[in-house]
Amino acid sequence: LSSCTSAAEKEKGGAEQREKQYRAHPGFGDRHDGVTSARTYFYADEAKCDQHMETFLRCIDATGGSSENGFSAIKLTALSRPQFLLQFSEMLVKWRRFFHQTAAEQGQAGRTALEMKLEVEKLQEALANLGIATKVESQNWFTGENLGMNGTVDILDWNSLIDSRTKLSKLLVVPNMQTGQLEPLLSRFTEEEELQMKRVLQRMDVLAKRATEKGVRLMVDAEQSYFQPAISRLTLEMQRRFNRDRAIIFNTYQCYLKEAYDNVTVDVELSRREGWHFGTKLVRGAYMEQERERAARFGYEDPINPTYEKTNEMYHRCLDYILEEINHSRKASVMVASHNEDTVKFTLRRMMELGIHPSEKKVCFGQLLGMCDQITFPLGQAGFPVYKYVPYGPVNEVLPYLSRRAQENRGFMQRANRERDLLWREVKRRLLTGSLFGPN
């Protein structure tokens, strides 16, 4: 747990001032607990992070040497101290919340994130009244960034201010509309903590450059909701740098999160404005039980959709938005990472309706090695780019991973029976046609 708490918090007990969702909780120090479907990394020291980076580099090299247009997956908790991800996530969420609260005060409650636009004059007055910045100071934010020139600021303009604001210690606060108090965006960092932040950015840079050299696409895995805002923001910065000509860096969106659609649409819009290629992997999500238990125990809003049906709706809604973007610009790519046959059929139908041909390789599919071959192989035979996610390592590490995936997929045995029936049907067909060892 010490790796999730800053030096300043340890000295002054400042952890109690942190929001419950972004605070290190002793009961959840073991992030394996309640997680059935994901590899969990724990921070030992910076040397261990460097060791993980070297392992990821070897994965990239292996992928580049074995396939065209391959993927290699990385996790940012393997490359960084979690305290940085927690604090950065909290800062991003507070900053975004202030935008939404201000938009609500301007009569825009209930709109999607992209539909909200703050009137600059009213925003400047609010900032001055709350003691954040004088009208002259806040005016400099927008003119200096070429923002608000049309009299409004949207969520993308607002997010871009984070970079300039975080350099100014005087302005590292946002108001809490409910309490009327100013809250810090970032606690002060020690020199060593500053170095740790720089090192994770350096490691990501090394991996992205190697992936580009080897023609490998880098998938940044999604993690717990209290790490995810930071992970997504860091991945976004990599996409802005490395996805200029094609999608090299892929972000992962977990569609069991209530905010998934807003996150997808905002990031797609940023890629449009800045002209880079949007790359994503869509998953349903791997941390549901742990997330729900943690939220209930510590009294913050459950970030997960209330039902499986709602998550399905969210998945298809996000996927449809990305497919429409591919149809519109051909500057987006998506991996449909799913074992769900209905989702695969939905994707194929929408691709046909939108005229997205498999040969364009803008849409690909992914399943786990050894699972759902009745989905994987027909897709491949029909010409769709399809991938198997390959776990590797010592047997004592890999077998528990696979057993957790079987637990996660509660319909696993039903699908196994279906695969068995399909295989038996194919054997009988070949026997009857005399083509038992034939290619077809």
Side-chain angles (χ1 to χ4, degrees), residues 3 29-32 39-45 48 52 77-78 82:
S3 66
D30 180 2
R31 295 195 304 278
H32 282 116
R39 175 80 166 88
T40 301
Y41 290 90
F42 294 98
Y43 182 85
D45 51 37
K48 188 68 174 176
H52 288 149
T77 51

Side-chain angles (χ1 to χ4, degrees), residues 236 251 253 262-271 276 278:
L236 199 65
N251 198 4
Y253 296 88
D262 272 354
N263 291 340
V264 168
T265 55
V266 167
D267 291 351
V268 167
E269 178 61 23
L270 183 66
S271 72
W276 45 269
F278 179 80

Side-chain angles (χ1 to χ4, degrees), residues 12 15 20 30 43 72-73 102 119 184 197 205 231-232 256 262 270 290 311 374 403-404 413 419:
K12 301 178 181 179
K20 291 174 183 176
D30 180 2
Y43 182 85
S72 194
T102 307
E119 293 181 36
M197 282 193 289
D205 189 63
I231 290 169
S232 287
Y256 68 6
D262 272 354
L270 183 66
Q290 186 190 79
T311 293
Q374 81 275 12
S403 69
R404 290 196 301 272
M413 289 311 296
E419 286 190 56

Side-chain angles (χ1 to χ4, degrees), residues 426-440:
E426 177 63 11
V427 168
K428 286 193 287 187
R429 186 193 68 79
R430 291 191 183 193
L431 284 169
L432 290 171
T433 58
S435 58
L436 183 61
F437 301 106
N440 296 320

